[in-house]
Short mmCIF file of all heavy atoms in Angstrom, two decimals:
data_model
loop_
_atom_site.label_atom_id
_atom_site.label_comp_id
_atom_site.label_asym_id
_atom_site.label_seq_id
_atom_site.Cartn_x
_atom_site.Cartn_y
_atom_site.Cartn_z
N GLU A 94 4.26 -8.23 -1.80
CA GLU A 94 4.74 -9.25 -0.82
C GLU A 94 5.50 -8.53 0.29
O GLU A 94 5.40 -8.94 1.47
CB GLU A 94 5.65 -10.14 -1.61
CG GLU A 94 4.98 -11.15 -2.45
CD GLU A 94 5.82 -12.06 -3.24
OE1 GLU A 94 7.14 -11.87 -3.11
OE2 GLU A 94 5.42 -12.80 -4.08
N GLU A 95 6.20 -7.51 -0.05
CA GLU A 95 6.99 -6.77 1.06
C GLU A 95 6.08 -6.27 2.18
O GLU A 95 6.46 -6.13 3.31
CB GLU A 95 7.88 -5.70 0.39
CG GLU A 95 8.78 -4.99 1.34
CD GLU A 95 9.67 -3.94 0.76
OE1 GLU A 95 9.60 -3.82 -0.48
OE2 GLU A 95 10.59 -3.52 1.46
N VAL A 96 4.88 -5.78 1.72
CA VAL A 96 3.99 -5.16 2.70
C VAL A 96 2.96 -6.12 3.15
O VAL A 96 1.89 -5.80 3.77
CB VAL A 96 3.33 -3.95 2.08
CG1 VAL A 96 4.44 -2.89 1.70
CG2 VAL A 96 2.41 -4.29 0.87
N GLY A 97 2.99 -7.48 2.80
CA GLY A 97 2.14 -8.39 3.20
C GLY A 97 0.76 -8.33 2.59
O GLY A 97 -0.23 -8.73 3.21
N ALA A 98 0.66 -7.98 1.35
CA ALA A 98 -0.54 -7.77 0.71
C ALA A 98 -0.57 -8.45 -0.75
O ALA A 98 -1.31 -8.13 -1.62
CB ALA A 98 -0.84 -6.30 0.45
N GLU A 99 0.12 -9.54 -0.84
CA GLU A 99 0.28 -10.22 -2.13
C GLU A 99 -1.00 -10.84 -2.65
O GLU A 99 -1.14 -11.01 -3.83
CB GLU A 99 1.40 -11.33 -2.05
CG GLU A 99 1.08 -12.37 -1.03
CD GLU A 99 1.64 -12.00 0.33
OE1 GLU A 99 1.95 -10.92 0.54
OE2 GLU A 99 1.82 -13.04 1.18
N THR A 100 -1.96 -11.08 -1.76
CA THR A 100 -3.18 -11.73 -2.19
C THR A 100 -4.18 -10.68 -2.75
O THR A 100 -5.19 -11.10 -3.38
CB THR A 100 -3.97 -12.41 -0.97
OG1 THR A 100 -4.28 -11.41 0.03
CG2 THR A 100 -3.07 -13.39 -0.32
N LEU A 101 -3.81 -9.49 -2.73
CA LEU A 101 -4.69 -8.37 -3.32
C LEU A 101 -4.43 -8.00 -4.79
O LEU A 101 -5.19 -7.26 -5.34
CB LEU A 101 -4.45 -7.15 -2.48
CG LEU A 101 -4.72 -7.26 -0.95
CD1 LEU A 101 -4.42 -5.81 -0.27
CD2 LEU A 101 -6.17 -7.69 -0.67
N LEU A 102 -3.50 -8.69 -5.49
CA LEU A 102 -3.00 -8.29 -6.79
C LEU A 102 -4.20 -7.99 -7.78
O LEU A 102 -4.11 -6.98 -8.35
CB LEU A 102 -2.04 -9.38 -7.34
CG LEU A 102 -1.40 -9.08 -8.63
CD1 LEU A 102 -0.39 -7.89 -8.48
CD2 LEU A 102 -0.73 -10.30 -9.26
N GLN A 103 -5.07 -8.96 -7.76
CA GLN A 103 -6.14 -8.78 -8.78
C GLN A 103 -7.48 -8.31 -8.18
O GLN A 103 -8.40 -8.34 -8.88
CB GLN A 103 -6.32 -10.07 -9.53
CG GLN A 103 -5.14 -10.41 -10.46
CD GLN A 103 -4.67 -9.46 -11.42
OE1 GLN A 103 -5.44 -8.64 -11.90
NE2 GLN A 103 -3.39 -9.36 -11.68
N ARG A 104 -7.41 -7.83 -6.96
CA ARG A 104 -8.71 -7.46 -6.35
C ARG A 104 -9.03 -6.03 -6.75
O ARG A 104 -8.12 -5.18 -6.97
CB ARG A 104 -8.56 -7.43 -4.71
CG ARG A 104 -8.45 -8.81 -4.13
CD ARG A 104 -9.81 -9.32 -3.63
NE ARG A 104 -10.35 -8.40 -2.68
CZ ARG A 104 -10.03 -8.43 -1.30
NH1 ARG A 104 -8.97 -9.34 -0.93
NH2 ARG A 104 -10.59 -7.60 -0.47
N PRO A 105 -10.36 -5.78 -7.00
CA PRO A 105 -10.71 -4.45 -7.30
C PRO A 105 -10.35 -3.42 -6.06
O PRO A 105 -10.54 -3.79 -4.94
CB PRO A 105 -12.28 -4.47 -7.42
CG PRO A 105 -12.57 -5.92 -7.86
CD PRO A 105 -11.48 -6.70 -7.01
N LEU A 106 -9.85 -2.28 -6.48
CA LEU A 106 -9.32 -1.44 -5.41
C LEU A 106 -10.48 -0.97 -4.52
O LEU A 106 -10.28 -0.71 -3.27
CB LEU A 106 -8.81 -0.21 -6.08
CG LEU A 106 -7.76 0.61 -5.24
CD1 LEU A 106 -6.47 -0.24 -4.90
CD2 LEU A 106 -7.26 1.86 -6.09
N GLN A 107 -11.68 -0.89 -5.02
CA GLN A 107 -12.83 -0.50 -4.24
C GLN A 107 -13.33 -1.52 -3.19
O GLN A 107 -14.08 -1.23 -2.29
CB GLN A 107 -14.04 -0.22 -5.13
CG GLN A 107 -13.85 0.98 -6.05
CD GLN A 107 -13.11 0.57 -7.37
OE1 GLN A 107 -12.67 -0.50 -7.45
NE2 GLN A 107 -13.26 1.46 -8.35
N ASN A 108 -12.88 -2.76 -3.31
CA ASN A 108 -13.31 -3.95 -2.50
C ASN A 108 -12.27 -4.25 -1.42
O ASN A 108 -12.38 -5.41 -0.85
CB ASN A 108 -13.65 -5.01 -3.32
CG ASN A 108 -14.87 -4.80 -4.31
OD1 ASN A 108 -15.52 -3.86 -4.10
ND2 ASN A 108 -15.11 -5.74 -5.12
N ILE A 109 -11.20 -3.42 -1.15
CA ILE A 109 -10.36 -3.77 -0.16
C ILE A 109 -10.60 -2.99 1.08
O ILE A 109 -11.20 -1.83 1.08
CB ILE A 109 -8.93 -3.68 -0.59
CG1 ILE A 109 -8.57 -2.23 -0.90
CG2 ILE A 109 -8.66 -4.55 -1.73
CD1 ILE A 109 -7.09 -2.05 -1.31
N SER A 110 -10.21 -3.37 2.26
CA SER A 110 -10.41 -2.85 3.52
C SER A 110 -9.40 -1.55 3.72
O SER A 110 -8.49 -1.32 2.89
CB SER A 110 -10.21 -3.75 4.70
OG SER A 110 -8.79 -4.11 4.85
N GLY A 111 -9.77 -0.79 4.75
CA GLY A 111 -8.88 0.37 5.03
C GLY A 111 -7.50 -0.07 5.27
O GLY A 111 -6.47 0.63 4.91
N GLY A 112 -7.29 -1.10 6.08
CA GLY A 112 -5.91 -1.43 6.36
C GLY A 112 -5.19 -2.08 5.14
O GLY A 112 -4.03 -1.83 4.94
N GLU A 113 -5.98 -2.76 4.29
CA GLU A 113 -5.42 -3.22 2.98
C GLU A 113 -4.98 -2.03 2.12
O GLU A 113 -3.99 -2.09 1.47
CB GLU A 113 -6.39 -4.17 2.36
CG GLU A 113 -6.51 -5.50 3.04
CD GLU A 113 -7.67 -6.34 2.54
OE1 GLU A 113 -8.71 -5.72 1.93
OE2 GLU A 113 -7.66 -7.62 2.73
N MET A 114 -5.83 -1.08 2.10
CA MET A 114 -5.54 0.14 1.22
C MET A 114 -4.30 0.76 1.66
O MET A 114 -3.43 1.21 0.83
CB MET A 114 -6.69 1.10 1.23
CG MET A 114 -6.50 2.41 0.56
SD MET A 114 -6.08 2.18 -1.30
CE MET A 114 -7.78 2.19 -1.87
N GLN A 115 -4.10 0.94 3.03
CA GLN A 115 -2.94 1.54 3.40
C GLN A 115 -1.70 0.74 3.13
O GLN A 115 -0.56 1.29 2.66
CB GLN A 115 -2.93 1.69 4.96
CG GLN A 115 -4.04 2.70 5.51
CD GLN A 115 -3.86 4.06 4.79
OE1 GLN A 115 -4.60 4.35 3.80
NE2 GLN A 115 -3.21 4.93 5.39
N ARG A 116 -1.71 -0.60 3.03
CA ARG A 116 -0.49 -1.42 2.68
C ARG A 116 -0.37 -1.25 1.16
O ARG A 116 0.82 -1.33 0.70
CB ARG A 116 -0.85 -2.88 3.09
CG ARG A 116 -0.70 -3.08 4.48
CD ARG A 116 -0.91 -4.53 4.89
NE ARG A 116 -0.89 -4.61 6.39
CZ ARG A 116 0.21 -5.17 7.02
NH1 ARG A 116 1.23 -5.51 6.35
NH2 ARG A 116 0.21 -5.19 8.38
N VAL A 117 -1.44 -1.18 0.31
CA VAL A 117 -1.30 -0.87 -1.15
C VAL A 117 -0.63 0.42 -1.35
O VAL A 117 0.37 0.58 -2.17
CB VAL A 117 -2.64 -1.01 -1.79
CG1 VAL A 117 -2.47 -0.52 -3.23
CG2 VAL A 117 -3.13 -2.51 -1.77
N LEU A 118 -1.00 1.50 -0.69
CA LEU A 118 -0.35 2.79 -0.75
C LEU A 118 1.04 2.79 -0.41
O LEU A 118 1.89 3.41 -1.07
CB LEU A 118 -1.12 3.75 -0.01
CG LEU A 118 -2.60 4.10 -0.50
CD1 LEU A 118 -3.24 5.11 0.55
CD2 LEU A 118 -2.54 4.81 -1.89
N LEU A 119 1.38 2.02 0.59
CA LEU A 119 2.78 1.87 1.04
C LEU A 119 3.60 1.11 -0.07
O LEU A 119 4.77 1.46 -0.27
CB LEU A 119 2.90 1.06 2.37
CG LEU A 119 4.20 0.87 3.02
CD1 LEU A 119 4.92 2.21 3.16
CD2 LEU A 119 4.13 0.25 4.36
N ALA A 120 3.03 0.07 -0.58
CA ALA A 120 3.72 -0.67 -1.63
C ALA A 120 4.01 0.28 -2.86
O ALA A 120 5.05 0.27 -3.45
CB ALA A 120 2.83 -1.86 -2.12
N ARG A 121 3.01 1.09 -3.13
CA ARG A 121 3.18 2.06 -4.37
C ARG A 121 4.36 3.03 -4.04
O ARG A 121 5.23 3.34 -4.92
CB ARG A 121 1.92 2.81 -4.56
CG ARG A 121 1.92 3.69 -5.84
CD ARG A 121 0.51 4.24 -6.05
NE ARG A 121 0.31 4.80 -7.39
CZ ARG A 121 0.50 6.14 -7.61
NH1 ARG A 121 0.93 6.91 -6.67
NH2 ARG A 121 0.37 6.58 -8.85
N ALA A 122 4.42 3.49 -2.75
CA ALA A 122 5.55 4.41 -2.43
C ALA A 122 6.92 3.73 -2.50
O ALA A 122 7.86 4.17 -2.93
CB ALA A 122 5.36 4.98 -1.04
N LEU A 123 6.89 2.39 -2.03
CA LEU A 123 8.16 1.59 -2.07
C LEU A 123 8.68 1.29 -3.47
O LEU A 123 9.82 0.97 -3.66
CB LEU A 123 7.99 0.32 -1.27
CG LEU A 123 7.90 0.58 0.28
CD1 LEU A 123 7.54 -0.71 0.89
CD2 LEU A 123 9.12 1.04 0.84
N LEU A 124 7.64 1.11 -4.44
CA LEU A 124 8.05 0.77 -5.77
C LEU A 124 9.02 1.84 -6.46
O LEU A 124 9.68 1.51 -7.41
CB LEU A 124 6.88 0.61 -6.71
CG LEU A 124 6.05 -0.62 -6.43
CD1 LEU A 124 4.64 -0.65 -7.25
CD2 LEU A 124 6.83 -1.92 -6.84
N ARG A 125 9.04 3.00 -5.94
CA ARG A 125 10.04 4.02 -6.29
C ARG A 125 11.51 3.79 -5.92
O ARG A 125 12.35 4.49 -6.20
CB ARG A 125 9.57 5.44 -5.92
CG ARG A 125 8.23 5.87 -6.54
CD ARG A 125 7.87 7.28 -6.03
NE ARG A 125 8.89 8.25 -6.25
CZ ARG A 125 9.18 8.93 -7.45
NH1 ARG A 125 8.31 8.75 -8.46
NH2 ARG A 125 10.16 9.76 -7.50
N GLU A 126 11.65 2.73 -5.06
CA GLU A 126 12.92 2.48 -4.45
C GLU A 126 13.54 3.67 -3.79
O GLU A 126 14.56 4.20 -4.07
CB GLU A 126 14.01 1.95 -5.56
CG GLU A 126 13.53 0.74 -6.28
CD GLU A 126 13.76 -0.49 -5.33
OE1 GLU A 126 14.52 -0.34 -4.31
OE2 GLU A 126 13.03 -1.45 -5.47
N PRO A 127 12.74 4.25 -2.82
CA PRO A 127 13.01 5.62 -2.23
C PRO A 127 14.15 5.58 -1.25
O PRO A 127 14.46 4.62 -0.53
CB PRO A 127 11.71 5.93 -1.55
CG PRO A 127 11.07 4.62 -1.13
CD PRO A 127 11.49 3.68 -2.24
N ASP A 128 14.93 6.74 -1.22
CA ASP A 128 15.84 6.99 -0.20
C ASP A 128 15.08 7.52 0.99
O ASP A 128 15.53 7.25 2.15
CB ASP A 128 16.78 8.06 -0.64
CG ASP A 128 17.49 7.70 -1.90
OD1 ASP A 128 18.36 6.73 -1.88
OD2 ASP A 128 17.40 8.42 -2.86
N LEU A 129 13.98 8.18 0.77
CA LEU A 129 13.20 8.78 1.82
C LEU A 129 11.66 8.43 1.58
O LEU A 129 11.15 8.51 0.58
CB LEU A 129 13.33 10.34 1.86
CG LEU A 129 12.36 11.10 2.82
CD1 LEU A 129 12.64 10.68 4.27
CD2 LEU A 129 12.53 12.66 2.61
N LEU A 130 11.08 7.85 2.70
CA LEU A 130 9.58 7.62 2.61
C LEU A 130 8.88 8.70 3.55
O LEU A 130 9.28 8.98 4.63
CB LEU A 130 9.34 6.28 3.33
CG LEU A 130 9.21 5.00 2.45
CD1 LEU A 130 8.95 3.75 3.27
CD2 LEU A 130 8.07 5.12 1.44
N VAL A 131 7.95 9.27 2.85
CA VAL A 131 6.98 10.24 3.58
C VAL A 131 5.71 9.66 3.69
O VAL A 131 5.01 9.43 2.64
CB VAL A 131 7.02 11.66 2.86
CG1 VAL A 131 6.11 12.63 3.46
CG2 VAL A 131 8.50 12.17 2.59
N LEU A 132 5.24 9.40 4.95
CA LEU A 132 4.01 8.71 5.18
C LEU A 132 3.09 9.71 5.89
O LEU A 132 3.38 10.11 7.13
CB LEU A 132 4.33 7.50 6.11
CG LEU A 132 5.43 6.62 5.61
CD1 LEU A 132 5.65 5.39 6.53
CD2 LEU A 132 5.13 6.04 4.18
N ASP A 133 2.08 10.12 5.30
CA ASP A 133 1.01 11.04 5.88
C ASP A 133 -0.16 10.23 6.43
O ASP A 133 -0.90 9.71 5.84
CB ASP A 133 0.53 11.95 4.75
CG ASP A 133 -0.20 13.18 5.46
OD1 ASP A 133 -0.48 13.17 6.64
OD2 ASP A 133 -0.57 14.03 4.59
N GLU A 134 -0.16 10.15 7.91
CA GLU A 134 -1.03 9.49 8.58
C GLU A 134 -1.18 7.99 8.11
O GLU A 134 -2.34 7.57 7.49
CB GLU A 134 -2.48 10.17 8.44
CG GLU A 134 -2.51 11.50 9.09
CD GLU A 134 -2.60 11.55 10.63
OE1 GLU A 134 -2.59 10.53 11.22
OE2 GLU A 134 -2.53 12.62 11.20
N PRO A 135 -0.16 7.21 8.22
CA PRO A 135 -0.21 5.94 7.57
C PRO A 135 -1.26 4.96 8.16
O PRO A 135 -1.50 3.91 7.54
CB PRO A 135 1.24 5.37 7.86
CG PRO A 135 1.72 6.15 9.00
CD PRO A 135 1.09 7.50 8.92
N ILE A 136 -1.72 5.19 9.40
CA ILE A 136 -2.68 4.19 9.89
C ILE A 136 -4.17 4.75 9.81
O ILE A 136 -5.08 4.32 10.48
CB ILE A 136 -2.45 3.85 11.35
CG1 ILE A 136 -2.39 5.16 12.25
CG2 ILE A 136 -1.00 3.25 11.43
CD1 ILE A 136 -2.28 4.88 13.71
N GLN A 137 -4.33 5.65 8.93
CA GLN A 137 -5.74 6.33 8.64
C GLN A 137 -6.68 5.21 8.34
O GLN A 137 -6.47 4.48 7.36
CB GLN A 137 -5.60 7.32 7.61
CG GLN A 137 -6.91 8.02 7.19
CD GLN A 137 -7.21 9.18 8.20
OE1 GLN A 137 -6.30 9.62 8.86
NE2 GLN A 137 -8.36 9.70 8.22
N GLY A 138 -7.83 5.14 9.01
CA GLY A 138 -8.82 4.16 8.79
C GLY A 138 -8.51 2.73 9.03
O GLY A 138 -9.13 1.82 8.47
#
């Protein structure tokens, strides 16, 4: 929800778009409750 991708919860990972994948990867990084976010080419694809 924080990254605007709540509708993807049960979607197969292989069936999401490039932009959706980047939001999922960002959500995964945020789940660590980080002090520092390191984003390598966050708009790739």
Side-chain angles (χ1 to χ4, degrees):
E94 287 173 4
E95 184 174 7
V96 300
E99 59 273 14
T100 61
L101 303 178
L102 185 67
Q103 296 303 333
R104 289 266 299 277
L106 205 59
Q107 296 87 346
N108 293 348
I109 64 177
S110 70
E113 290 169 337
M114 174 61 84
Q115 295 306 93
R116 288 177 182 262
V117 168
L118 290 174
L119 181 55
R121 191 173 190 267
L123 290 172
L124 285 172
R125 292 181 56 84
E126 297 290 335
D128 304 295
L129 172 64
L130 265 178
V131 179
L132 311 178
D133 192 353
E134 298 284 358
I136 61 170
Q137 181 85 13

